[in-house]
Amino acid sequence: MIEVLFLLLPVAAASGWWLGQREWRRRGVNTVSAHPDFLRGLNYLLAEQPDKAIDLFVRLTEVDRETAETHLALGSLFRRRGELDRAIRIHASLIERPQLSPDLRALALFELGQDYLGAGLLDRAEALFQELVRLDLQTERALEALREIYQRERDWPRCLEVAEQLAGLTGMQRPAEVAHYYCELAEDARRRGDLPKARAQIDLALASDPDCMRVLVLAGQMALAEGEAKRALELFRRVAAHGPTYAPEVLPDLIQAMESCGEDVIAELGLLVAGRAHPPLVLALSERIEQTQGASAALDLLADYLAHWADLAVLERFLALRARAAGPDGRTRRYAEVALGVARHLRQHQPIYHCERCGFQARTLHWQCPSCRCWGTIAAILPEPIEQIPAQSP
Ligand SMILES: [Zn+2]
């Protein structure tokens, strides 16, 4: 009997069976006794016959603390393996036990909610987590789960409510997340043409997090659309000066605002590039230089950059200008176009952004990481400096 329990311990460890382990350590394994059907169920598990095991577990007439903890651990294990039907069956049967203690019932409710969440049954999961909050059991975890559900449903007012509840419970404010919720509401209002509402949400976002780049982008876009070029320029300058991640989001609008305000676009872009030579800034400056000073001056700028930094977007632009400048010599043009094709192909497969938290890579900016669902963790991948490798002799 005890040997079987020892055999189960690795299973328990893998499934996060911390409760059971704590109890067993406290009481000593030798004191554990269990219903024969429970042990038969464990044997079925070890024989890789999980459905027979679950049949026995859910039919057990008596569930004490140890067996309940085993139910929880097994349910969690099944969920982690993606076997959500089995997890739901175990956790749901546990909740129906009248003799279950309130703390274990709360754990079972929470686990069942996680099963439903994993299965995409958001309504059922939401009802369970709301029940836990109402009972003030597993409250913080239940609120976190509700926040996850409301984010998936893009129900931003409820996200704000939950964020406020969590702040009241834990004492920890989440200004960056709250600012993003208001930004989402502002974007919704702007899409509907409700500009006063959009402005009000932007003010709330700024009040929550004055350094939120997203709200500066939004406020600048709205100011530019309303003819307030000076204010837009001020906001876009702050975004561009913040760094490479958000500058591409505002570059065309920034240039438009500069033009509207009669600013020297090349001089200002040149200052930005001198401060932080990020590829989108270099590309914007090279386009402007090509328009006003010609292709040779733009090529000089790009060549200076590529002498120090390895970036495929800048290389592609450089080769495109070279191909165009190749003149009537068909062979020279073809060589340049072949190189351009290779650079273009490589660039299309090169990620531009990555999540600083989970490593997710993307070609477009996401305010919320699609993988770990954190807000504001996506950053631009910076080009690598060119290694000075001596040229090989032919
Ligand atoms: Zn992430």
Side-chain angles (χ1 to χ4, degrees), residues 53-359:
I54 293 170
D55 284 343
L56 274 175
F57 288 144
V58 300
R59 284 205 306 266
L60 276 178
T61 49
E62 291 177 20
V63 174
D64 58 17
R65 190 165 193 90
E66 281 78 18
T67 49
E69 287 165 359
T70 309
H71 279 67
L72 287 168
L74 288 172
S76 172
L77 177 63
F78 283 130
R79 185 174 68 245
R80 286 174 197 207
R81 285 169 37 166
E83 298 167 26
L84 291 163
D85 286 350
R86 289 175 174 148
I88 288 171
R89 230 183 125 202
I90 285 190
H91 290 138
S93 80
L94 198 54
I95 288 164
E96 289 166 9
R97 308 301 172 122
Q99 70 272 39
L100 203 63
S101 66
D103 62 324
L104 285 175
R105 180 177 300 282
L107 269 177
L109 280 168
F110 180 80
E111 292 297 324
L112 184 59
Q114 290 289 336
D115 299 338
Y116 286 145
L117 197 55
L121 302 169
L122 301 190
D123 287 354
R124 292 189 192 183
E126 181 187 356
L128 288 181
F129 295 133
Q130 281 177 340
E131 178 69 4
L132 284 169
V133 173
R134 193 183 65 76
L135 296 171
D136 198 15
L137 294 167
Q138 298 285 320
T139 312
E140 185 178 346
R141 296 170 81 201
L143 283 170
E144 289 287 2
L146 283 170
R147 192 175 61 93
E148 167 67 22
I149 290 171
Y150 297 144
Q151 285 188 166
R152 283 201 208 177
E153 293 176 335
R154 303 181 63 77
D155 188 339
W156 309 117
R158 284 189 145 175
C159 285
L160 285 165
E161 282 173 23
V162 172
E164 196 176 327
Q165 283 176 280
L166 275 167
L169 188 71
T170 63
M172 283 178 60
Q173 305 289 333
R174 301 182 190 207
E177 274 180 32
V178 168
H180 279 288
Y181 296 151
Y182 283 124
C183 284
E184 293 285 353
L185 288 167
E187 287 183 351
D188 287 347
R190 192 167 62 144
R191 275 191 290 273
R192 293 195 309 272
D194 188 348
L195 297 185
K197 175 86 180 285
R199 274 192 287 271
Q201 301 296 344
I202 283 174
D203 288 345
L204 289 167
L206 279 172
S208 178
D209 182 6
D211 295 323
C212 174
M213 289 298 116
R214 183 183 186 181
V215 72
L216 297 185
V217 174
L218 253 174
Q221 288 169 345
M222 287 189 59
L224 194 61
E226 290 163 22
E228 294 178 42
K230 200 171 172 187
R231 170 150 172 76
L233 181 58
E234 179 197 328
L235 291 162
F236 292 145
R237 276 175 174 157
R238 281 179 65 191
V239 176
H242 188 266
T245 297
Y246 306 112
E249 295 300 301
V250 296
L251 261 178
D253 289 338
L254 172 66
I255 291 170
Q256 188 186 332
M258 286 178 195
E259 287 172 336
S260 298
C261 294
E263 299 287 337
D264 184 337
V265 177
I266 288 182
E268 188 154 345
L269 285 178
L271 281 175
L272 281 171
V273 168
R276 209 182 290 245
H278 185 54
L281 292 171
V282 175
L283 291 172
L285 179 58
S286 76
E287 277 176 32
R288 201 75 187 184
I289 287 178
E290 187 195 1
Q291 288 164 10
T292 54
Q293 301 169 26
S296 293
L299 275 167
D300 284 344
L301 172 79
L302 298 171
D304 287 346
Y305 181 83
L306 290 169
H308 297 96
W309 299 99
D311 184 79
L312 285 171
V314 178
L315 179 63
E316 182 189 343
R317 171 94 180 130
F318 177 79
L319 292 172
L321 284 180
R322 286 280 298 144
R324 248 186 282 159
D329 182 347
R331 183 173 286 177
T332 306
R333 175 180 285 272
R334 181 169 172 271
Y335 292 164
E337 286 175 349
V338 167
L340 172 62
V342 173
R344 189 167 286 156
H345 173 86
L346 292 173
R347 185 183 63 79
Q348 281 172 355
H349 296 89
Q350 176 185 260
I352 299 172
Y353 299 97
H354 70 146
C355 174
E356 291 180 322
R357 189 170 183 272
C358 74

Side-chain angles (χ1 to χ4, degrees), residues 354-360 368-374 377-378:
H354 70 146
C355 174
E356 291 180 322
R357 189 170 183 272
C358 74
F360 174 84
Q368 183 185 24
C369 173
S371 175
C372 69
R373 298 180 191 277
C374 284
T377 54
I378 299 284

